Amino acid sequence: MQGLLKLSRGIDALNMGVGKAATWLILVVVVISAGNAVMRYTIDWSSNGLLEIQWYLFSAVFLICAGYVLLKNEHIRIDVIVGHLSPRTQNWIDVFGLVVFLLPMTLLILYLSWPVFMNAWTTSEGSPNPGGLIRWPVRLLMPVGFLLLALQGFSELIKRIAFLAGKAPNPLAKTTGPTAEQELAQVIKQHQVAPEVADIVEMNRDMVEDKKPHEGSGK
Amino acid sequence: MTEFIIANMAPIIFGSLVVFLLLGFPVAFSLGANGIIFGWLGIELGLFHPAFFQALPERIFGGIMSNDTLMAIPFFTFMGLILERSGMAEDLLDTIGQLFGPIRGGIAYAVVLVGAMLAATTGVVAASVISMGLISLPIMLRYGYDRRLASGVIAASGTLAQIIPPSLVLIIMADQLGKSVGDMYKGAFVPGFVLTGLYLLYVIAVTLVRPNWAPALPVEARVFREPNGKSGNVSLLVLAVVSVAAAVTFGKLALAPDRALDETIVITSLVGVAVAFTLAVINKLLNIHLLSRIAERVTFVLIPPLGLIFLVLGTIFLGVATPTEGGAMGATGALLMALARRRLTWSLTRQAMDSTAKLTTFVVFILVGARVFSLTFYGVDGHKWVEHLLTDLPGGQVGFLVVVNILVFVLAFFLDFFELSFIVVPLLGPVADKLGIDLIWFGVLLAVNMQTSFMHPPFGFALFYLRSVAPSTRYKDVHSGKVTEPVTTGQIYWGAIPFVLIQIIMIGLVIAFPQLVGHDKDAAAGGPDIDIMQMIQEDAQKSEGGAPAAPDSTPAQPAPPPASDDAITRALKDADKK
């Protein structure tokens, strides 16, 4: 078990690093896309390569971050029922879900997407648009993304089983530290808000933690 | 047994989907696994060709990765996250609150109007609700607003971000219904404003029936007054009239009368705003006191949001930018604005990128799961099953609309709009199309309905965000020195209910007056409407390689030889591109 947990920590570190790095692409693609629009209408210049790099980068973000988001447990769940179950039951459901849902799906897509990449690589598949980009890098993103996701699924499985065996803390326990909303409230407060509400956010924190719906959605 | 399964494959798949989703495992994988498990079963039962799953990579590649529309999701999210910390919302609330404060219900009007304006710049519900909860709620409590009214109006105004363009719901709806985002935006514009109007009407009604629920601010609470004690509103009114007059004159003189209405509106408003801004700048620089303080302040505070609205919606409506590019320009504009206000830090940018990447990933992965699911579901003619269920309803179009709206309204208690739009909408769209319902109109209608998912007690996100910033214990108000009672969770829930009812009224209005949903004439001709049908037909065709056309015919005889995989892939790719 210790060996497996070590492996799990390794995978976590990998997805953490790769995922964090990939988030920078958001800034890059924003700038490229805005630049493309401005260039086209100011000096009437456009390039298919620069247009295609947008969706290459967009694909890179969500495929490479898939494992990272799983690590952070931020893929949306419908927790109307699960929210009320015990931590052990929640972990058992996740073990079932990882083995029966996530791993088969990711491994199947990984297996099927590899030949597609190989085909693009050997035939030097290019864009149908003049000046477009070569296709193999973006074709490669799919197997890479699903490999990272499958690895993370495996790591999550190890953590769930270790918890159920009493050898690790609950991986589904709410992470401490402020949520995105609390951070936002903090910032607004610092700049603007009347002093009488200064500590309300702080006071509410524990109370809200219990009722929190899945984080991140609704934005 | 086997025959029973084969004959009822679609209902079985759908039933297990519900069970899978309720298990509480991440939706993206439950959805996808459902498709894979039943696809495998279908292969075992001889319903599908063994090469059935080979279409998967292309479905993800063509339909999701190279999809320009979906790229707008990270752009608008990023823009919203930067903007929510740029201080723009707080300035607006302060100033507009001052402007309307002196009349009864004034702060409530300010909240609705600022909510609508923030909605037209970003589309992030959390940001609006948190800003208004922190800035306007304490003021409303201090001057004795009814707590239910105060919290309800804040939560509801925050959700306007869902219906007023540019909103993520409309982008996803456009993608799922096979329509252009620009048309969807144009369609949602008037309903968004009508809804804002209904919220304002509700506040007016409250001030008439229960004047003590929404008192006017006392004189000492007004900050922007002239040295001689006057409010300065006359000057603001004059400035407004001058700007509007300039805009109208420009529209009449300089623009061809046959220009499209939306373009005319965009250009003339730009002129009007420019005039007001120039006057305010001259006034400030030369210090000539031509304008009152409030007039100057209002002008300066309105410029950033109006500038962003022009950058995003203006360019889209003028046809200068695609909605995706509009999102990117808006995000760049927000970055520059935050930089100019010295609010942009590295840590803020990193947080915004991190949150954007996470949101994009989980949203897009629900779609990945949905496309894996639909391959199997359409493969067993599930869409025909759904169609039969829904077209056989009594009352034709109206019956369908009533049932669908009730269904979505109820589901919105448990699901958020991402889940609804990726799972439910693709099933409903084709049926609506077949019944002759315009898909833009249908999409806007569903968006209004789904907006309630943010307000439904007890799971609505807007209520949850508000709860996190509303006082939950007694506190001493430093301005008045009075001990103020907390806002209870019950008050927040009760406050939301009138707005859920307004939402239902709005759904009724959109059904009763379809012309509310704006339309281009060429789009009304129904040209691209066939896209989604074609897509589904081709989806179904590709499974014909192994599946008999109808699931109830016995699949005893060996399946006809499948078309070559390449042809399948190409057909799918074409279908996906549309």
Side-chain angles (χ1 to χ4, degrees), chain B residues 420-433:
Chain B
L420 282 170
S421 17
F422 287 135
I423 304 170
V424 180
V425 172
L427 295 176
L428 299 178
V431 187
D433 197 48

Side-chain angles (χ1 to χ4, degrees), chain B residues 135-156:
Chain B
I135 292 163
S136 302
L137 187 61
I139 303 176
M140 295 208 250
L141 296 182
R142 184 182 311 144
Y143 297 111
Y145 270 65
D146 179 75
R147 278 134 209 282
R148 285 162 297 183
L149 173 68
S151 53
V153 88
I154 288 176

